Amino acid sequence: MTRWQRWPVLVLACCATFTAQAASHVFLVQNSGWMEPFYTDPASPYKALVTEVVQAAMAPGDALVLAAFNQGLPGAPSPRALLAQKGKPDRASLRAVLDPLEVGRKPGGKAMADTDLGEAVGSAIDGALGGKPGLVWLFTNNRNSPNNDQATARRNREFYQLIHEGAAIRKALAFPLKMPVRGAQYSAGGLMVYVFAVQEQGARELDALLASGRLNQVITEMPARLKPLDQDTVRLVPARVENTPGVRYAVLPDGRLRAELDAGTPAGASSGHAARITWRLENTMYPYTITAADISAQAALAGEVKPVALQTDAVRNLAPGKPQPLASSLTLPVANLPGKWSLAALSTAGSAQVIPGRIEVTLANQRLELSQAFRQRMAELFPGDPLPDIFTPPARIQGSRAVLPVEVRLQYGAGPLLAAIGGLFAVLAAAGALAVAATRGRKVVVSVDGEPRTLRTKAGAKTPLYNTAGDQVAELHTTLFGYQLANVREGANVQLAGRSGK
């Protein structure tokens, strides 16, 4: 087992229990022969960039492995761990391991090492992360040529397959950066920073990092999406909304749609009142243009689904950053919303009950095309490198789905609650009266052998009656609603005379 396979795995594996919010990062820094100008140019910002990306990407409590990679050979393993620890390293620690890093050499000679991108990423996923979730970062000049293989197109396809067809990688982004450097043997115009999110938890960690804005402070370029290309491909942003009877719409600051319904609205709304909404349809798949797709939408709320009538059923030439207007007619599915006498309505009387909903947009028969401007930028940064083919969408991706959260606020008046409270008090009063009647003492007059007797009793009591000889001849049963004689002895003269006073 190599050092790479042993040490980083233990570090990252133990971090799984370090904290529930901690993320695991593997930073792969290329140092093959093609990277010579990035190491020998005195003005190269390469190592400084790596340092700042690590600082921006990691949060306190995260774990990392920082490793140099080229191509693994006997006696020269790759990747090679430079630093592995729990907790965010400071800049001094990073400089201490990056500053001495030089271009790798092949064993037994001075020939510079070759490059194997697929080997590096695969080792990071299976080795350093040990199959667990995390983020793998790759700093490379896009030269993928193991054993100085000139069949770069084939090698790039292998890397392409690892990204697009590998089940472990759930999300992949690329940041093409301008970085002109000149060395003794080579020169370069750009650098590519990739980030691969491993498993669904890794994808969530990457989304959270992007939302935090920390990475934007170091890399200002818009990330190019590699994967997935079938989720969140478009975004609907409400631009204009017309209210309908009983329903008031608003656009929240985050772009979500809010609908406020009054308590008797569901019946009216389900009868056909539709809101006319004009959306901005935005392509979120930079750097791809959706050249053609069939579009449909539906609204889902409280387990009910209704189609959204769109002005058009097709999308044509939707480029990133160039939204298109899309008119629609929306009727909220309200059949399953709680009624005004429901427990939910009574518990939120006088306020609003918030019910989450969504609008789902589906693109079918989708055709994507890499924008020409992006191709030109890649050709400028990486002249003669066919690796931009990695951005070619897989043929199997013909459809995609996007979801717009909708917040429905159902307003309930206090009337039903007051009525319910009044009914409750009536029930309590009746129960109180019954309780008083059940516990109050009573006087009853009975006659045994012609002799009248006054007895004290209460509801639920069973009082034995005796003759003058001391024999039990009957029982007086007292209920909440009256009296009766029971178990009267044959031949006995026992009569119920009635109630006598209190």
Side-chain angles (χ1 to χ4, degrees), residues 14-103:
C14 70
C15 291
T17 58
F18 185 65
T19 170
Q21 289 77 34
S24 296
H25 300 259
V26 182
F27 297 93
L28 299 171
V29 182
Q30 184 177 345
N31 72 330
S32 62
W34 290 116
M35 295 291 293
E36 180 262 344
F38 293 91
Y39 286 88
T40 59
D41 189 333
S44 171
Y46 179 54
K47 294 178 181 179
L49 173 70
V50 174
T51 298
E52 293 307 314
V53 169
V54 173
Q55 286 287 306
M58 293 190 64
D62 286 358
L64 98 157
V65 169
L66 175 64
F69 81 93
N70 38 72
Q71 181 189 13
L73 294 174
S78 176
R80 177 174 60 88
L82 305 174
L83 179 65
Q85 68 176 55
K86 290 186 296 185
K88 181 177 177 179
D90 56 28
R91 288 179 174 83
S93 299
L94 293 170
R95 286 195 295 266
V97 296
L98 288 173
D99 285 351
L101 186 62
E102 298 178 344
V103 174

Side-chain angles (χ1 to χ4, degrees), residues 1-233:
M1 181 176 287
T2 66
R3 181 189 181 202
W4 165 261
Q5 293 171 317
R6 181 174 64 252
W7 180 31
V9 172
L10 295 176
V11 172
L12 292 186
C14 70
C15 291
T17 58
F18 185 65
T19 170
Q21 289 77 34
S24 296
H25 300 259
V26 182
F27 297 93
L28 299 171
V29 182
Q30 184 177 345
N31 72 330
S32 62
W34 290 116
M35 295 291 293
E36 180 262 344
F38 293 91
Y39 286 88
T40 59
D41 189 333
S44 171
Y46 179 54
K47 294 178 181 179
L49 173 70
V50 174
T51 298
E52 293 307 314
V53 169
V54 173
Q55 286 287 306
M58 293 190 64
D62 286 358
L64 98 157
V65 169
L66 175 64
F69 81 93
N70 38 72
Q71 181 189 13
L73 294 174
S78 176
R80 177 174 60 88
L82 305 174
L83 179 65
Q85 68 176 55
K86 290 186 296 185
K88 181 177 177 179
D90 56 28
R91 288 179 174 83
S93 299
L94 293 170
R95 286 195 295 266
V97 296
L98 288 173
D99 285 351
L101 186 62
E102 298 178 344
V103 174
R105 305 285 176 174
K106 294 181 180 180
K110 295 184 178 181
M112 291 185 290
D114 298 326
T115 312
D116 194 331
L117 299 179
E119 176 190 58
V121 175
S123 296
I125 295 172
D126 299 330
L129 291 176
K132 298 183 183 299
L135 300 180
V136 177
W137 302 79
L138 184 71
F139 299 84
T140 174
N141 70 336
N142 273 351
R143 296 277 185 170
N144 190 25
S145 55
N147 303 317
N148 202 23
D149 190 347
Q150 298 304 307
T152 53
R154 178 171 62 85
R155 292 298 187 178
N156 292 338
R157 281 195 300 271
E158 294 173 358
F159 188 47
Y160 172 98
Q161 291 170 352
L162 173 66
I163 296 171
H164 287 287
E165 299 177 12
I169 296 177
R170 303 300 173 86
K171 189 166 189 174
L173 302 177
F175 298 85
L177 306 179
K178 186 175 182 179
M179 188 176 289
V181 288
R182 182 174 296 276
Q185 300 189 41
Y186 305 113
S187 61
L191 180 78
M192 186 74 84
V193 179
Y194 294 96
V195 57
F196 306 108
V198 178
Q199 300 184 20
E200 290 299 330
Q201 182 179 328
R204 290 191 292 269
E205 291 166 355
L206 178 55
D207 290 340
L209 171 60
L210 296 175
S212 73
R214 299 197 309 267
L215 195 60
N216 292 346
Q217 297 176 13
V218 178
I219 302 178
T220 58
E221 295 286 336
M222 179 182 296
R225 188 193 297 198
L226 291 172
K227 186 180 184 180
L229 299 180
D230 57 358
Q231 300 172 24
D232 300 322
T233 55

Side-chain angles (χ1 to χ4, degrees), residues 57 69 108 154 203 238 265 291 305 367 393 403 419 477 493:
F69 81 93
R154 178 171 62 85
T265 298
T291 58
V305 176
R367 293 202 300 273
V403 175
H477 289 187
N493 181 15

Side-chain angles (χ1 to χ4, degrees), residues 297-317:
Q298 62 182 17
L301 181 65
E304 186 188 4
V305 176
K306 275 193 173 184
V308 177
L310 301 177
Q311 183 183 45
T312 179
D313 58 2
V315 174
R316 296 289 183 269
N317 299 319

